[in-house]
Amino acid sequence: MSASTIEASTLPATEEWTGIEVHTEPDTPWVLLVWNDPVNLMSYVSYVFRSYFGYSEAKAQQLMMQVHQEGKSAVASGTKEKMEAHATAMHGFGLWATVSHDGANEGSNG
Amino acid sequence: MARAFKASRKGLTCQLEPAERELLRNLFADVITLLEPETPAHADPLAALIGLDMDVSEPTDPALKRLLPNVVNDDDAAALEFRQLTERSLRETKIGALRAAALSLESDKIVLTGDAPQHWAMALNDVRLVLSERLGIRTEEDSERVHALHDWSQADDVDSYLGLVYNFVTWLQEGLMQVMIDQLPDVADESWLV
C-alpha cells in the first residue's frame, strides 16, 4: 500500500504536531585522549592506531610518540557518542583512554 | 625454547614448549577469572540484552581497574553511568579474546588466521597489564628494572618469577606485533579522518 491511498482525514491533525526538538551541537568537539603507561608496547599502540582508526603509519607513529613522550595524545575528535565508542574500543585493546570535552584535562600538556 | 611468531602461508605461526603453553593457558585462565562478572547477567531480559548493569561499581582491585578503566577523569558520576552501560560487554570482549587465544594453545604448533592474531595481541596485552600491577610497574624505571631480569635460575621469589613471566609474555607479544604490523596495509595520509 502506498501512502497516497490513505485518506487525508485519517491522518493526525498536522497543525498540532510540534515536531521533535533537535539539539544540534556543531561546535562542541569532544576528544579521545590516550594516556601513557609503562606497559603497553610502542609497537602495539601503533598497531592499534593503524588498524582501528585506519591511520597511516606516519600518523600512528606520531600519535604514539606523543603519548609516550608527553604522557597523552588526543588521537580523535568528534561527537561525545563517537568518542565514547572509541574509548570503549581502546579499553578493549587495553589502552588507557578517556573522553574529554573541548580540551578539558589537557592543561598539563607540554 | 620458544620461537617468535612468523608469517607463513598458513598464517602466523609460533612454536612453544609444552611448559610455555601451559603457562600461557594458566595466565589466560587467571585473567578470565578476574574479568568474569561477580553478579550474574541482569534478570531483566532487555537489560541483559543490551548489557546494562546497574549493580556495577568501579573495581577496587587495581589490576581489574586497569583492564576496565574509567572513561572520564574527574567525574565519578559520569564514569559510573558509562560503566553501567558498557562494562559488561567490555568484560565479554576481553574474555572472548582470552578464550580464543587459550583455545589455539591446544595444538602443538600455534597457527593463527583471521581474527586470531588480534585476539592473541589483546590477550597477551591484558595478561601483561595484570602482571604489571602485581609487579608494581608504574614508571619506565620500574619497567626497566623488571626487564633486566632474564635468568630463570635466579627466580627465587614470587616477584622475580612473575617478572620473568612478564618478560616472556612481553617478548611473545613484541614478536607478534612485528609480524602483524608487517601485514597492515599501507594507508595514505588522507585517510586520517575518523
Side-chain angles (χ1 to χ4, degrees):
Chain A
M1 182 175 74
S2 75
S4 60
T5 63
I6 301 171
E7 291 292 326
S9 60
T10 65
L11 294 171
T14 51
E15 56 270 27
E16 286 174 26
W17 177 249
T18 53
I20 298 164
E21 256 186 83
V22 180
H23 299 275
T24 50
E25 299 177 73
D27 297 313
T28 51
W30 284 66
V31 293
L32 175 73
L33 297 171
V34 172
W35 299 78
N36 189 39
D37 69 59
V39 178
N40 283 319
L41 298 169
M42 291 162 105
S43 57
Y44 182 64
V45 175
S46 190
Y47 168 83
V48 170
F49 289 171
R50 286 177 69 183
S51 68
Y52 175 79
F53 293 110
Y55 290 154
S56 70
E57 183 179 0
K59 173 78 173 173
Q61 190 77 6
Q62 178 201 327
L63 293 173
M64 181 275 291
M65 286 311 293
Q66 191 176 22
V67 172
H68 185 65
Q69 292 171 344
E70 297 175 25
K72 63 177 179 298
S73 174
V75 303
S77 65
T79 63
K80 180 171 186 258
E81 290 70 26
K82 198 159 190 178
M83 294 309 106
E84 286 177 341
H86 287 335
T88 300
M90 292 302 106
H91 294 173
F93 282 109
L95 269 53
W96 180 19
T98 58
V99 299
S100 172
H101 192 200
D102 200 18
N105 292 332
E106 288 196 274
S108 65
N109 206 348
Chain B
M1 189 65 192
R3 273 185 260 160
F5 277 100
K6 62 179 183 186
S8 80
R9 230 157 22 94
K10 290 179 187 167
L12 306 190
T13 62
C14 168
Q15 286 193 348
L16 296 173
E17 298 295 324
E20 293 164 337
R21 289 210 303 274
E22 184 62 23
L23 172 66
L24 288 171
R25 218 189 326 269
N26 288 335
L27 290 168
F28 293 153
D30 285 349
V31 180
I32 288 170
T33 304
L34 186 64
L35 280 166
E36 272 169 347
E38 288 141 33
T39 54
H42 204 286
D44 177 342
L46 180 61
L49 188 69
I50 61 173
L52 193 65
D53 189 349
M54 303 310 286
D55 301 328
V56 79
S57 58
E58 191 176 313
T60 49
D61 179 345
L64 189 58
K65 195 184 168 190
R66 183 60 192 81
L67 296 179
L68 309 167
N70 283 337
V71 76
V72 285
N73 287 338
D74 309 323
D75 189 343
D76 290 348
L80 182 64
E81 189 186 356
F82 191 75
R83 203 174 270 286
Q84 289 165 342
L85 294 168
T86 59
E87 189 188 282
R88 190 168 284 268
S89 75
L90 179 58
R91 284 175 187 257
E92 284 164 6
T93 300
K94 287 175 174 290
I95 289 171
L98 287 153
R99 286 214 178 109
L103 198 64
S104 53
L105 282 168
E106 296 302 322
S107 51
D108 285 347
K109 189 174 184 186
I110 293 161
V111 181
L112 306 182
T113 58
D115 293 335
Q118 186 146 314
H119 290 147
W120 263 75
M122 293 164 88
L124 294 174
N125 204 69
D126 280 349
V127 164
R128 293 180 59 250
L129 289 171
V130 171
L131 287 173
S132 75
E133 276 298 329
R134 304 291 185 240
L135 284 161
I137 299 177
R138 306 268 186 275
T139 64
E140 305 289 342
E141 291 73 37
D142 295 334
S143 179
E144 283 165 24
R145 168 176 53 79
V146 172
H147 191 67
L149 296 167
H150 52 80
D151 188 350
W152 285 92
S153 67
Q154 291 178 346
D156 46 13
D157 58 38
V158 173
D159 266 13
S160 53
Y161 175 75
L162 277 184
L164 286 160
V165 169
Y166 177 83
N167 289 343
F168 169 67
V169 180
T170 301
W171 171 81
L172 199 58
Q173 193 194 5
E174 183 63 60
L176 177 61
M177 295 330 299
Q178 295 309 324
V179 182
M180 288 174 74
I181 283 171
D182 284 347
Q183 297 197 333
L184 281 173
D186 283 331
V187 175
D189 284 350
E190 293 80 61
S191 58
W192 288 4
L193 299 171
V194 183

